[in-house]
Amino acid sequence: MADSASRSRRPTEGRTLEALGLAEAPREHPLLYPGAWPADSGLLHGDRLLPLDKLVHDDRVPVLAVGSNASPGQLRHKMDHFGIGSPIPMVKTRVTGIEVGVSAHVSRMGYVSASPFHAPGSVRELFVIWLNPEQLAVIDTSEGVPRPNGNYGRAWLPASDVRIELADGGTLPGAFAYVNRHGVLHNGTEAPRTHPGQRALLTELLLGSPRLRELFGVTPEQFCARARGDVRLCERGTRLFVEEKLVTVSGLEEYVRVQGT
């Protein structure tokens, strides 16, 4: 029997990702990271984002997306790689207690990605994606959760610490989030910095570090081109963040548990 997410309305004209400006995947276009996010909740089904008939899906796992996992184009790219075409509910929420920081690692996809950090009192809109076990395994794998040296751990953030409010006024008891095992970049003090988007971030990082320019070039375009697919170079960049004392803790480390898939 199909799960609740598959019992959706019939496809609607004009709801393709292309028509909505949501088709591009940062994995293919690193400078677009974190990718375009939807204007509102929807059901990602194939190359369409359809209306969503409910906000909570008890037969699925809620995952708070702080980076490209809120991009339909990126989600579709990840699922297509594993031949998975089942729909994914994407629910826009109001989150208190979390901000979007900068992961303290260079991704082999060619960008410096996002990671959440603890920010009491901070309020912002983020998406919760509701995943079935097969989809969750794909996202876990893409984030390196199953690997002891992977970049992210999957952490359960309880409602007592992170409030996730739905459009109908309801709240979730919590949600999973991917927390970077390397920590996050700071803002010049010991406080984490927020992620401003890929081009602005790389411009600032390169301007501030001659050693980073030696490794990755002097422009965001050069950075992405050199980093993309070069695992050893990405590892050197990750170590450089530590050596230049750019890294701090996210405040979410206590929640991280390595999850099997």
Side-chain angles (χ1 to χ4, degrees):
M1 180 180 294
D3 66 21
S4 63
S6 65
R7 296 192 291 271
S8 60
R9 303 178 187 179
R10 297 174 59 186
T12 304
E13 292 299 324
R15 300 294 299 181
T16 66
L17 299 186
E18 187 72 33
L20 295 171
L22 301 172
E24 300 286 4
R27 285 186 159 211
E28 295 296 328
H29 307 281
L31 278 178
L32 295 181
Y33 186 93
W37 294 7
D40 208 344
S41 301
L43 181 70
L44 178 61
H45 196 173
D47 68 344
R48 294 177 181 270
L49 189 68
L50 305 175
L52 193 60
D53 58 2
K54 65 179 184 176
L55 302 178
V56 175
H57 301 263
D58 292 325
D59 52 350
R60 289 172 166 252
V61 176
V63 175
L64 188 63
V66 302
S68 64
N69 285 331
S71 162
Q74 186 89 318
L75 282 178
R76 190 74 277 141
H77 189 283
K78 291 183 178 185
M79 296 301 158
D80 285 350
H81 183 74
F82 288 88
I84 296 174
S86 50
I88 300 176
M90 304 182 67
V91 176
K92 193 173 186 178
T93 65
R94 180 179 172 88
V95 180
T96 303
I98 288 293
E99 256 295 355
V100 179
V102 179
S103 297
H105 85 283
V106 180
S107 170
R108 62 184 176 84
M109 294 301 164
Y111 45 67
V112 179
S113 57
S115 186
F117 66 86
H118 189 42
S122 178
V123 180
R124 64 171 301 152
E125 292 182 336
L126 295 170
F127 278 86
V128 169
I129 56 176
W130 294 85
L131 305 175
N132 65 28
E134 186 179 42
Q135 294 164 347
L136 182 63
V138 168
I139 302 300
D140 273 0
T141 298
S142 76
E143 306 295 352
V145 172
R147 303 192 308 272
N149 63 340
N151 292 314
Y152 291 89
R154 176 155 54 85
W156 176 258
L157 305 181
S160 57
D161 296 320
V162 177
R163 176 182 173 85
I164 304 175
E165 185 177 354
L166 305 171
D168 62 6
T171 59
L172 298 183
F176 285 104
Y178 293 101
V179 176
N180 200 282
R181 290 172 174 152
H182 303 280
V184 294
L185 300 188
H186 62 65
N187 63 3
T189 67
E190 287 304 306
R193 63 167 298 163
T194 56
H195 201 303
Q198 198 62 204
R199 184 178 293 278
L201 174 65
L202 294 182
T203 298
E204 183 175 336
L205 292 177
L206 291 169
L207 184 63
S209 173
R211 294 177 65 192
L212 202 63
R213 294 197 297 273
E214 289 176 8
L215 291 180
F216 294 100
V218 299
T219 67
E221 288 81 3
Q222 289 174 338
F223 184 105
C224 294
R226 293 186 187 184
R228 188 171 172 79
D230 191 331
V231 175
R232 290 186 178 179
L233 182 60
C234 290
E235 289 174 348
R236 288 178 65 190
T238 300
R239 290 195 299 270
L240 183 58
F241 287 153
V242 176
E243 292 167 5
E244 297 211 332
K245 296 180 171 54
L246 299 176
V247 181
T248 190
V249 296
S250 69
L252 300 173
E253 286 78 9
E254 64 181 290
Y255 301 105
V256 176
R257 301 289 184 273
V258 176
Q259 303 288 328
T261 58

